[in-house]
Amino acid sequence: METTCERCMNGSYDEEYGEYVCALMLDEDEFLRVMQAKICPYFRAGDEYSIVKKQN
């Protein structure tokens, strides 16, 4: 995808997988649409400060 979970407000780091994953609760149809899309419709740009603020 053009946008990455590392830069998304909805992304969170998963230590088990060692990568960022989407924190949204998507059903199977929504997940399939996101995987087929070139740009994630749920992407929300966030800088490091806003992402940390969200996690606290």
Side-chain angles (χ1 to χ4, degrees), residues 19-50:
E19 60 187 27
Y20 283 84
V21 295
C22 186
L24 294 176
M25 299 300 286
L26 304 174
D27 66 19
E28 291 178 17
D29 294 331
E30 290 172 322
F31 182 75
L32 182 60
R33 263 184 265 139
V34 168
M35 291 294 106
Q36 292 175 341
K38 293 183 179 169
I39 296 175
C40 178
Y42 302 106
F43 177 80
R44 288 182 30 202
D47 60 18
E48 295 154 1
Y49 297 106
S50 59

